[in-house]
Structure formats: C-alpha cells, structure tokens
C-alpha cells in the first residue's frame, strides 16, 4: 500500500468518525415528536440560472417534504388516535404543511421537530 493510499484511508476514517460524532449530537425527539431533516434545496433552476440566497431561504422554510430521522418514544403510541399503527417510520420522506414544526439548523442543514399527527402522507424519495 502506498503512502497516498494510507493517507486516503486515514482521511476516510476521520470523515466517518466526524459524521458519527455529528449524528450523536442530533437532538433526540421526546414524546410524540419526530425529528426530520429538510432535503437540500437545489442552488439553481433547471435551466441553470442560480437562485438568489433569499429564494433558497424561502424554499427551505416553506418546504413540504421532510426526511424522517428519528421518532420520539411516544410517537404513534396512542392506539386510539392511530389504530392502524404509525403513519411513517425512520427513513421515510413525508409530506407536511408549509412552516410545520420547530426549525433548527445544525452543521448547515435545516432540521424540524414536528408532532406525529402533522404527517400528511409518505412520499417517494424526491431526489
């Protein structure tokens, strides 16, 4: 193995370790809350024109598609309200209303903490 390969392997290991540390720092939703990530907003339109920063900010705030990262310990536990079981699971993309949830920004990524009953639908991966 060459020095370049060894350095690349060490760098990849460090990146993986940093990603693991960041994941540990995500908030744990409590009760009936769900932690969701806002998918990255494209920085340009389909025709190649760049979006203004304000436009990207508005799109990020008003997005209706979220990625479910973590469920709270009581999410969908109420059998009377959710007789057919959970409406979504970790790893799903969901549809919610614009401006739903508590917004937080971690490591340059927008996150939302929403209530379990605010999930409108599960959708296919929008990417």
């Amino acid at each position: 193995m060459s020095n370049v390969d060894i350095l690349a392997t060490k760098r990849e290991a460090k990146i993986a370790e940093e990603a693991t540390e960041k994941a540990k720092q995500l908030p744990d939703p409590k009760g009936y809350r769900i932690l969701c990530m806002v998918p990255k907003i494209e920085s340009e339109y389909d025709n190649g024109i760049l979006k203004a920063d304000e436009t990207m900010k508005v799109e990020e705030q008003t997005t209706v598609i979220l990625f479910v990262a973590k469920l709270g310990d009581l999410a969908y536990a109420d059998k009377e309200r959710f007789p057919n079981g959970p409406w979504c699971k970790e790893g799903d993309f969901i549809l919610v209303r614009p401006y739903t949830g508590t917004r937080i920004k971690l490591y340059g990524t927008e996150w939302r903490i929403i209530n379990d009953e605010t999930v409108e639908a599960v959708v296919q991966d929008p990417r």
Side-chain angles (χ1 to χ4, degrees):
M1 193 180 264
S2 72
N3 286 342
V4 173
D5 291 336
I6 292 171
L7 290 175
T9 303
K10 285 182 180 179
R11 184 169 188 271
E12 289 170 5
K14 183 174 178 158
I15 290 170
E17 182 180 322
E18 288 173 359
T20 301
E21 281 303 309
K22 286 179 182 180
K24 288 179 187 175
Q25 294 173 8
L26 289 177
D28 282 322
K30 299 298 179 191
Y32 53 88
R33 307 286 195 305
I34 302 173
L35 177 67
C36 299
M37 182 184 74
V38 175
K40 289 285 184 195
I41 303 299
E42 296 294 325
S43 61
E44 59 184 53
Y45 295 103
D46 291 340
N47 61 5
I49 296 174
L50 294 177
K51 294 179 183 177
D53 290 340
E54 187 63 27
T55 300
M56 290 182 59
K57 182 179 175 184
V58 168
E59 285 185 18
E60 192 173 74
Q61 291 174 354
T62 62
T63 187
V64 295
I65 303 293
L66 302 174
F67 176 78
V68 177
K70 293 182 183 180
L71 297 174
D73 55 341
L74 297 177
Y76 303 113
D78 186 344
K79 299 302 177 200
E80 287 183 31
R81 289 179 63 207
F82 307 105
N84 296 328
W87 292 354
C88 66
K89 63 185 181 310
E90 290 180 8
D92 282 345
F93 284 91
I94 57 172
L95 180 70
V96 296
R97 293 176 183 220
Y99 302 105
T100 296
T102 302
R103 297 175 48 229
I104 55 176
K105 197 138 192 158
L106 297 169
Y107 307 109
T109 301
E110 177 92 12
W111 295 81
R112 304 258 182 93
I113 297 176
I114 65 170
N115 296 337
D116 57 3
E117 79 272 357
T118 61
V119 173
E120 303 271 333
V122 174
V123 297
Q124 291 183 348
D125 186 341
R127 298 171 292 181

